[in-house]
Amino acid sequence: MAYLKTLTSVVHAQAQGPQKEILDTALKQVGFIPNMYANMANAPAVLDTYLSGYGKFRGESGFTPAEQEVVFLAVSLVNGCTYCAAAHSMIADKVSGVPGPVLEAIRQGRPIPDARLAALYELTQDLVRTNGKPSRGKLDAFLQAGFSESQVLYIVLAVAVKVLSNYSNHAFGTQVDERFAAYKLA
């Protein structure tokens, strides 16, 4: 449920100034304007920061595309963002190559049948739940799974990016775009 009452989605065709500039950038990056972006454009710095951090996480983290989706899903599910859970589930399934049983386990809150992805998912959720103070056990499992300490910092970046999107979606009660609708959680 939305708690912002006077702001509405920015319509790309009617946008001007910084709102138009950031929506033009978004359109070039993803090929359409997701509802989330149209809402975030009310504060262009929010959408700009999101797009920059998202791109840097995707390009610099050293995580595979499937691992990246596991991180984004872990954060979005802890934060209760149904929009991002649907969007990243679709991307996980159709683009990033997350194995079906792994995606199903994540979406259903069951144990993940891949030890490496489970360690990644559990550390990410622990980082969010503990405000950046994960348990030694979750951190050790992550490192023993072959990830690096620097990748912990990239998870922090992903958490920051998802806070921007998750919290904005809460503020607006963002409707899931049609292309993600089949992945809405029940």
Side-chain angles (χ1 to χ4, degrees), residues 143-164:
L143 296 172
Q144 289 169 3
F147 296 107
S148 70
E149 285 187 347
S150 65
Q151 286 179 303
V152 173
L153 296 176
Y154 280 101
I155 294 173
V156 171
L157 174 60
V159 171
V161 165
K162 286 288 97 188
V163 164
L164 290 170

Side-chain angles (χ1 to χ4, degrees), residues 8-93:
T8 59
S9 296
V10 176
V11 177
H12 184 221
Q14 298 169 356
Q16 297 180 6
Q19 290 179 335
K20 179 172 179 7
E21 291 170 19
I22 195 60
L23 287 173
D24 286 347
T25 298
L27 182 61
K28 286 177 193 164
Q29 288 181 5
V30 297
F32 78 109
I33 303 293
N35 294 335
M36 179 180 86
Y37 291 7
N39 292 337
M40 292 170 85
N42 277 281
V46 172
L47 182 53
D48 183 53
T49 301
Y50 173 83
L51 293 173
S52 175
Y54 185 88
K56 290 194 182 300
F57 176 75
R58 290 282 195 197
E60 298 177 13
S61 69
F63 291 117
T64 67
E67 292 165 348
Q68 292 168 6
E69 293 310 326
V70 168
V71 169
F72 285 142
L73 282 164
V75 177
S76 297
L77 290 169
V78 169
N79 287 337
C81 184
T82 56
Y83 180 96
C84 288
H88 286 290
S89 291
M90 188 282 290
I91 295 167
D93 185 36

Side-chain angles (χ1 to χ4, degrees), residues 93-131:
D93 185 36
K94 301 293 186 190
V95 180
S96 297
V98 174
V102 170
L103 180 58
E104 184 179 322
I106 289 170
R107 289 174 51 84
Q108 295 178 1
R110 293 191 335 248
I112 296 171
D114 176 299
R116 182 173 165 86
L117 293 177
L120 174 61
Y121 183 82
E122 290 172 18
L123 176 68
T124 302
Q125 287 210 320
D126 203 38
L127 278 165
V128 176
R129 288 188 179 119
T130 64
N131 298 310

